Amino acid sequence: MSAHLEAYRERGWVRLPVCPDTAAWVQAAAPLAAEIAEDPAAKDAWLRCGGTWFAGVNIFPNAEDGSVAERGVPPLAGSAVQFIADTLGLAPDRWDKAQISVCYPGYPQPWEGESDAAFRFRRDRDAAHVDGLLRDEARRRRPGEHHGFILGLPLRHSAPEAAPMVVWEGSHEIMRAAFRAALAGVPETAWGEVDLTDVYQAARRRCFESCRRVLVHAQPGEAYVIHRLALHGVAPWQEGAEAPEAGRMIVYFRPAFDGPLNWLDAP
């Protein structure tokens, strides 16, 4: 078993070193992502947390192969894509529109409409969450988006203290076991009707108590792959952390499985 696969299985994430194909994609994509993040309409729609976070969900205009041909952005390729396809066996049929996540000094600040408790959780617990659990009007959580993995590609050089990704190592297996038990005997077509709120919150507490919180930092040309069930979030920006004036910028891809079953059972 490769060291990367062993790390991914045990920790729930892995960082891949710089490779030419990843670096070429980042070099071509970064100017376009920066334009989008500075667009007034996009900022009005996606600027959060007192102006310290541009969320930019599914806003990058890539095609299904990850390219933006009219701007010279090539299809996604490189060691991370190869690891996903050949080692994990999770090659997506198509890449989703990427998220452009930009954090600025001072992240996080209070966000209009966010409760005091929610802000404290964002500040003190990195807004830790598992992707794909959708909240209804009563803020109850149910399975909804069956991602295969999370692929992070930094677009700018920044310091490790500049609001990096955070992962609780091993949390993916705690979450997998909890969700599997809660969904046992339920037809997968009905998973979206199952309220996982209490199960999820209890599992999250176990992760906080027993899993190591690690900062996941990378530079342009590197990449990291995070297990879809891993508890993760974004750390606060530490005072004095160095990053471009335009902010720390990372794009994230989260392509989905066609059906929900692999969401629990795949690597």
Side-chain angles (χ1 to χ4, degrees):
M1 181 165 52
S2 73
H4 287 153
L5 178 58
E6 184 177 6
Y8 181 82
R9 285 184 172 176
E10 292 185 3
R11 303 186 311 183
W13 74 278
V14 66
R15 180 170 47 232
L16 285 302
V18 171
C19 80
D21 287 336
T22 303
W25 190 92
V26 165
Q27 184 176 14
L32 175 56
E35 288 178 19
I36 294 169
E38 290 300 320
D39 178 76
K43 291 173 75 171
D44 184 63
W46 290 110
L47 206 56
R48 305 281 193 267
C49 300
T52 60
W53 177 40
F54 178 86
V57 177
N58 298 135
I59 201 172
F60 193 70
N62 56 277
E64 292 184 356
D65 63 357
S67 68
V68 186
E70 63 271 21
R71 293 297 298 266
V73 180
L76 275 172
S79 58
V81 174
Q82 186 175 3
F83 172 77
I84 291 165
D86 298 342
T87 305
L88 298 182
L90 298 178
D93 294 332
R94 57 190 178 277
W95 293 95
D96 58 318
K97 302 288 187 186
Q99 175 187 12
I100 304 172
S101 175
V102 187
C103 281
Y104 304 96
Y107 172 84
Q109 296 297 313
W111 174 14
E112 184 178 354
E114 186 176 47
S115 69
D116 291 342
F119 172 70
R120 289 194 300 271
F121 188 76
R122 182 180 299 279
R123 181 194 62 199
D124 301 336
R125 288 293 196 183
D126 311 304
H129 64 283
V130 172
D131 284 350
L133 298 182
L134 304 184
R135 288 188 293 192
D136 58 24
E137 293 181 359
R139 302 185 69 79
R140 306 298 290 178
R141 298 175 187 267
R142 305 174 191 278
E145 298 175 345
H146 307 108
H147 305 126
F149 51 85
I150 304 168
L151 171 63
L153 299 172
L155 299 189
R156 292 178 179 144
H157 288 275
S158 61
E161 300 82 11
M165 170 72 80
V166 177
V167 175
W168 280 261
E169 291 188 333
S171 60
H172 60 303
E173 294 300 351
I174 292 176
M175 290 293 177
R176 194 201 304 267
F179 295 161
R180 184 175 282 154
L183 296 168
V186 180
E188 60 181 279
T189 54
W191 282 8
E193 302 171 17
V194 178
D195 185 346
L196 292 178
T197 308
D198 296 338
V199 168
Y200 167 64
Q201 291 177 348
R204 189 172 62 186
R205 286 193 295 271
R206 290 198 296 275
C207 294
F208 289 148
E209 293 168 356
S210 62
C211 298
R212 187 166 73 106
R213 173 185 177 271
V214 297
L215 305 181
V216 178
H217 177 254
Q219 300 291 7
E222 296 180 307
Y224 47 84
V225 183
I226 298 173
H227 196 282
R228 64 195 167 276
L229 298 178
L231 187 68
H232 65 281
V234 177
W237 190 293
Q238 299 301 305
E239 186 175 355
E242 295 183 0
E245 183 178 348
R248 183 277 286 147
M249 183 166 64
I250 304 170
V251 294
Y252 293 106
F253 289 91
R254 299 175 180 84
F257 291 120
D258 287 336
L261 189 59
N262 283 333
W263 178 66
L264 282 184
D265 293 342

